[in-house]
Amino acid sequence: MSYLPNFIFLILIIVGGGIFLRNILRIKRNINLGKAVDRSDKTALRWKQMLRIALGQSKMGSKPIAAILHLIVYVGFIIINIELLEIILDGLLGTHRLFAPYLGNLYHILIGTFEILALLVIVAVVVFWIRRNGIRIKRFWKAEMKGWPKLDADLILYFEVVLMMLFLSMNATDYLLQQQESHYIQAGSFPVSKFLRPLFEGFSFNSLLLLERSFWWAHITGILVFLNYLYYSKHLHILLAFPNTFFAKLVPNGKFEVDEHIKKEVLMMLYPDRVVSETSSAVPSKFGASDVFDLNWTQLMNAYSCTECGRCTEACPANRTGKKLSPRKIMMDTRDRLTEVGENLNKNKGVFQNDEKQLLHDYISAEELWACTSCNACVEVCPIAIDPLSIIMDMRQYLVMEQSAAPQLLNSMMSNIENNGAPWPFSNQDRLQWANEQLN
Amino acid sequence: MKLNVPTLASLKEQGQKPDVVFWVGCAGSFDDRAKKITKAFVKILNHTNTSFAVLGTEESCTGDPAKRAGNEFLFQMQALQNIETLNRYDVTKIVTTCPHCFNTLKNEYPELGGKYEVLHHTQFLKTLIKEGKLKVEGGTYKGKRITFHDPCYLGRANSVFEAPRDLIQKLDAELVEMKSCRAKGLCCGAGGAQMFKDAETGEKEINVERTAEAIETKAEIIAAACPFCTTMMTDGIKHHKQEERVKVMDVAELIANAKDL
Ligand code: SF4
Ligand code: SF4
């Protein structure tokens, strides 16, 4: 009978961890729906990029206040989670503050540090909330943030406050227990939770014990729920920011992908005598992208990683001047469509059933795509190296090459290039006329 | 004075090869405003006795606007034909006054078989100064407030931020920065083939937004380094009815003027 709590805890961990694992595998499967692209080169450089951008938060600095607040929550969460190890072991072994006897004074320092960090996290989260809901910073209130994205952002903040409060309340009651019973494990220093003690003073030993246990259980359960909440949330970035920055492109921003299949076709057209050997290569079923299947896996990982911070949209010249295009929405739409495709797969034993929908038109309109100036501002500013521009370009390619659906003026520009070698209707024979013209 | 503009073909006939090919670009060849930039740059090339040549009628669009509009096929057709021409002349080094040509030649031609050293004219001018071939002093622009508009395809796309600024500073001018500059520079609105189409519906045009930032700096001159930016910024300034007070000029024009070329 005395092992019942251990057993319940074990079940909790298995179920919580199991669902989490299933979610991660689903995300992996969905990302792998994307087309292949080789990012196995320059590993050393990739590690550096990941350490700099994801671990080192190097791109956050352009907004100093957000950077500091984010750093507090980020460091706070990582460090406080060291405590999680003890909590899990305590739960499984039925012990209490397992590490205390082994760590001695260090244990006091650790618990004290965790408490201070917990307080800092709460303060940072409150400021975050005020920025979103009090000051209403513009980028958090764009059209694409209505509904779930807004609720999601707030829920994450509430989650964090509740988890931190549970941790502190647990310590507050624990300390009072230590005071009342000398054979109760005496450990930890409580610089922050001591201010919560007045709330619990005057309770009997048993009530305190009940409270302490409740906080403890609620805390670990909350963590497991939060872990599984990631799957539905922009908070997934806390995991995916790392692979996302690792696999991000390393070439200059201005270099767009040169399509290999098209290269073969063009070579064959221009120089039929030169390329005879490689005629067997499969021609792709379509050019460009109209759905998530046509994007490559790094673009799909980008979509899952996006934090919906809106820095890209704020920097986007099209969005700044009131056009419909929002690079953040491009990423959110891609994720939403990918999630929809994933659900479809879950329901149909892993075989996608045509749902008469696609990323283009059902999620992203041609109007949005044509408003992009390919200026790379969104790519440059993204704190986790997401590339919305590449998705826009792939979708434009589909519109033009598969549907001949470019704006009329662009069609004229292209036929000019085709006929005269210039985007305007000038004869190529006049190309050097400027050299003979009068000087100014 | 007449410009001396040899073509690669004419030099080849004489058994000669230039040190560098000047890629003029479509705007630089046909657009009235951009042609002035082309001429200013050639004046400097002539003045410094630089051994260069142009492709002339053998040059064709790099394919940049087609690629950015989504027509990869047309882009590659253009690219492969240009590469064929350039390689026929054993070209190794190219300079261009257009950041779009610069980006495409530098980044997207190598995979298609066109591997050259490609420089933007601001980088090239800087080297001329460094080698002592070009001496630049303030003159007309001494003490003038000049702001520099970063072309997206030079700055963010290829991390060239300092070369044009160094040149402006050589003019003894007072370089002032706009609110968004360098990696955070705001687009003029022309890139990604926007130059050739109407903007989508919105509250305003992008060049109006950008020139508002430029006007805020109280600069007398907006220095640009791209023929498309030059056009967009000039139009933006007109929109704000500031054309009497603010001039838009390419860095090459500033230098040619300062030297009274
Ligand atoms: S590249 Fe396109 S989407 Fe990105 S900021 Fe520039 S205009 Fe906006
Ligand atoms: S793409 Fe990057 S910058 Fe844009 S919202 Fe997502 S995380 Fe933020």
Side-chain angles (χ1 to χ4, degrees):
Chain A
M1 191 58 201
S2 65
Y3 285 113
L4 189 61
N6 311 38
F7 187 67
I8 295 175
F9 186 81
L10 184 67
I11 300 284
L12 189 70
I13 293 288
I14 289 176
V15 171
I19 301 175
F20 177 66
L21 192 69
R22 187 201 64 182
N23 289 346
I24 290 293
L25 290 174
R26 282 187 174 166
I27 289 170
K28 197 170 164 240
R29 175 202 65 190
N30 294 354
I31 288 175
N32 282 331
L33 293 173
K35 291 199 296 194
V37 57
D38 185 21
R39 293 283 161 95
S40 61
D41 59 331
K42 305 194 182 124
T43 330
L45 218 65
R46 292 188 178 284
W47 278 106
K48 247 194 232 154
Q49 175 160 280
M50 184 182 88
L51 292 176
R52 190 166 41 88
I53 302 179
L55 196 70
Q57 309 263 298
S58 65
K59 290 207 148 196
M60 292 293 288
S62 57
K63 291 192 184 293
I65 299 176
I68 292 169
L69 295 170
H70 186 267
L71 192 71
I72 292 172
V73 178
Y74 165 68
V75 172
F77 246 75
I78 293 182
I79 297 183
I80 294 168
N81 277 334
I82 300 175
E83 167 76 0
L84 204 60
L85 186 66
E86 187 186 45
I87 291 178
I88 291 176
L89 287 175
D90 275 345
L92 290 174
L93 305 173
T95 49
H96 185 64
R97 297 200 181 270
L98 176 68
F99 295 163
Y102 304 102
L103 298 177
N105 255 340
L106 180 64
Y107 191 81
H108 292 266
I109 297 172
L110 275 177
I111 297 292
T113 315
F114 295 158
E115 287 215 339
I116 292 169
L117 282 169
L119 176 67
L120 287 173
V121 168
I122 291 174
V123 172
V125 166
V126 169
V127 181
F128 271 145
W129 190 91
I130 294 172
R131 282 161 58 89
R132 268 182 194 273
N133 298 298
I135 309 173
R136 289 175 156 249
I137 290 178
K138 235 169 109 194
R139 65 188 155 105
F140 300 133
W141 290 87
K142 296 264 172 183
E144 67 269 20
M145 296 306 285
K146 289 214 180 79
W148 171 247
K150 165 79 175 65
L151 181 64
D152 178 28
D154 288 337
L155 280 179
I156 293 165
L157 299 178
Y158 301 145
F159 252 120
E160 282 167 354
V161 171
V162 168
L163 287 178
M164 292 300 128
M165 286 308 291
L166 286 171
F167 173 71
L168 291 172
S169 308
M170 178 178 94
N171 281 351
T173 45
D174 189 77
Y175 176 82
L176 291 173
L177 287 168
Q178 294 184 23
Q179 295 297 301
Q180 287 199 14
E181 283 276 349
S182 55
H183 59 259
Y184 194 86
I185 292 164
Q186 308 280 322
S189 76
F190 307 103
V192 177
S193 66
K194 69 176 176 201
F195 296 105
L196 292 176
R197 277 178 218 155
L199 290 175
F200 307 109
E201 246 146 37
F203 283 90
S204 70
F205 182 83
N206 281 337
S207 317
L208 279 176
L209 199 59
L210 186 69
L211 277 172
E212 193 275 339
R213 284 295 84 192
S214 309
F215 293 141
W216 189 92
W217 280 94
H219 180 245
I220 184 69
T221 312
I223 286 177
L224 287 171
V225 171
F226 197 35
L227 198 63
N228 281 303
Y229 174 75
L230 295 185
Y231 181 63
Y232 307 96
S233 166
K234 66 164 184 139
H235 214 54
L236 197 52
H237 78 275
I238 63 169
L239 303 175
L240 286 184
F242 294 90
N244 197 67
T245 45
F246 185 87
F247 292 113
K249 85 174 188 184
L250 295 171
V251 295
N253 280 343
K255 179 177 168 19
F256 293 7
E257 205 128 325
V258 172
D259 191 296
E260 281 300 314
H261 298 287
I262 297 178
K263 181 176 161 185
K264 278 183 194 132
E265 270 193 42
V266 177
L267 276 175
M268 238 158 2
M269 258 185 72
L270 287 176
Y271 314 111
D273 45 321
R274 275 193 229 167
V275 264
V276 270
S277 53
E278 285 180 275
T279 43
S280 60
S281 78
V283 176
S285 54
K286 76 177 173 203
F287 294 117
S290 63
D291 208 351
V292 286
F293 305 101
D294 313 319
L295 296 170
N296 71 47
W297 64 271
T298 64
Q299 292 170 314
L300 299 184
M301 186 164 64
N302 276 183
Y304 270 128
S305 311
C306 176
T307 71
E308 296 170 18
C309 70
R311 288 163 189 241
C312 52
T313 295
E314 188 184 61
C316 173
N319 194 278
R320 262 180 80 162
T321 52
K323 320 287 190 300
K324 258 201 192 147
L325 171 63
S326 159
R328 167 173 57 189
K329 177 176 174 292
I330 301 286
M331 302 319 299
M332 292 166 71
D333 285 343
T334 306
R335 178 170 176 173
D336 287 349
R337 172 60 184 157
L338 188 54
T339 306
E340 185 178 57
V341 167
E343 298 290 310
N344 187 314
L345 289 171
N346 297 343
K347 269 195 220 117
N348 300 302
K349 300 196 179 84
V351 186
F352 182 71
Q353 302 296 318
N354 189 357
D355 60 357
E356 308 280 321
K357 279 199 203 167
Q358 56 173 4
L359 186 58
L360 181 67
H361 303 316
D362 292 315
Y363 287 85
I364 300 173
S365 67
E367 181 182 343
E368 291 163 68
L369 297 172
W370 289 119
C372 174
T373 71
S374 73
C375 73
N376 263 305
C378 53
V379 181
E380 176 70 35
V381 82
C382 178
I384 50 174
I386 287 171
D387 185 354
L389 173 55
S390 69
I391 297 180
I392 296 173
M393 282 300 140
D394 286 355
M395 294 184 76
R396 272 191 187 181
Q397 211 177 85
Y398 174 84
L399 282 174
V400 170
M401 298 189 60
E402 292 289 339
Q403 307 215 302
S404 309
Q408 190 42 46
L409 286 170
L410 286 188
N411 281 332
S412 319
M413 176 271 285
M414 290 187 278
S415 63
N416 284 328
I417 292 181
E418 224 174 308
N419 300 327
N420 327 314
W424 299 287
F426 293 113
S427 159
N428 213 45
Q429 288 314 307
D430 297 337
R431 233 179 219 277
L432 205 48
Q433 238 172 36
W434 59 269
N436 304 313
E437 281 168 12
Q438 223 180 331
L439 286 180
N440 302 326
Chain B
M1 194 182 93
K2 204 177 165 325
L3 293 174
N4 176 21
V5 192
T7 59
L8 270 170
S10 68
L11 286 190
K12 195 175 185 177
E13 254 171 44
Q14 300 159 29
Q16 290 172 9
K17 227 189 111 198
D19 291 345
V20 61
V21 169
F22 171 28
W23 185 275
V24 184
C26 299
S29 306
F30 295 118
D31 179 82
D32 283 334
R33 177 66 189 86
K35 278 196 275 188
K36 291 188 184 162
I37 303 170
T38 308
K39 290 177 206 168
F41 183 58
V42 170
K43 281 185 206 167
I44 302 172
L45 292 178
N46 284 168
H47 170 77
T48 51
N49 285 322
T50 302
S51 146
F52 81 102
V54 298
L55 278 162
T57 54
E58 289 185 282
E59 187 183 297
S60 191
C61 175
T62 57
D64 161 84
K67 185 174 175 78
R68 266 80 194 161
N71 197 337
E72 177 74 9
F73 194 84
L74 180 55
F75 158 68
Q76 293 203 13
M77 289 285 280
Q78 288 298 116
L80 285 165
Q81 290 174 60
N82 281 322
I83 289 166
E84 173 86 3
T85 312
L86 289 164
N87 289 354
R88 186 153 34 82
Y89 287 111
D90 287 325
V91 171
T92 52
K93 190 171 173 182
I94 301 176
V95 61
T96 174
T97 43
C98 175
H100 298 267
C101 298
F102 166 69
N103 178 69
T104 308
L105 292 165
K106 176 174 165 282
N107 292 322
E108 287 160 3
Y109 275 30
E111 265 167 70
L112 296 165
K115 299 191 175 76
Y116 322 103
E117 183 193 350
V118 186
L119 294 171
H120 185 250
H121 69 306
T122 55
Q123 296 174 309
F124 189 80
L125 290 172
K126 229 191 116 177
T127 340
L128 286 181
I129 293 176
K130 213 162 126 207
E131 289 167 353
K133 291 182 189 146
L134 177 66
K135 294 207 170 39
V136 181
E137 277 151 20
T140 11
Y141 300 111
K142 203 172 165 140
K144 287 236 159 111
R145 270 174 98 87
I146 301 183
T147 188
F148 178 67
H149 165 77
D150 288 279
C152 300
Y153 276 87
L154 184 65
R156 242 187 326 266
N158 288 293
S159 303
V160 180
F161 299 110
E162 298 314 321
R165 287 183 169 78
D166 289 349
L167 293 174
I168 294 168
Q169 244 132 20
K170 284 265 184 286
L171 295 167
D172 293 330
E174 184 194 350
L175 177 64
V176 284
E177 295 291 355
M178 286 182 254
K179 212 160 73 202
S180 338
C181 63
R182 294 198 166 79
K184 288 186 162 179
L186 177 64
C187 178
C188 72
Q194 294 294 343
M195 187 72 193
F196 307 99
K197 62 182 268 297
D198 295 324
E200 278 55 39
T201 358
E203 288 147 19
K204 55 179 144 178
E205 298 281 339
I206 295 172
N207 59 345
V208 170
E209 175 92 351
R210 182 51 164 169
T211 38
E213 280 195 0
I215 291 167
E216 236 172 74
T217 65
K218 302 210 161 52
E220 296 160 71
I221 296 169
I222 301 172
C226 166
F228 298 105
C229 296
T230 307
T231 304
M232 285 305 220
M233 298 301 278
T234 309
D235 290 349
I237 288 294
K238 275 189 199 138
H239 176 96
H240 292 289
K241 301 202 169 47
Q242 295 281 318
E243 61 266 39
E244 292 303 320
R245 212 180 56 74
V246 187
K247 299 276 170 257
V248 183
M249 292 176 89
D250 190 277
V251 178
E253 293 180 299
L254 292 176
I255 290 182
N257 281 355
K259 294 204 61 78
D260 229 351
L261 295 176

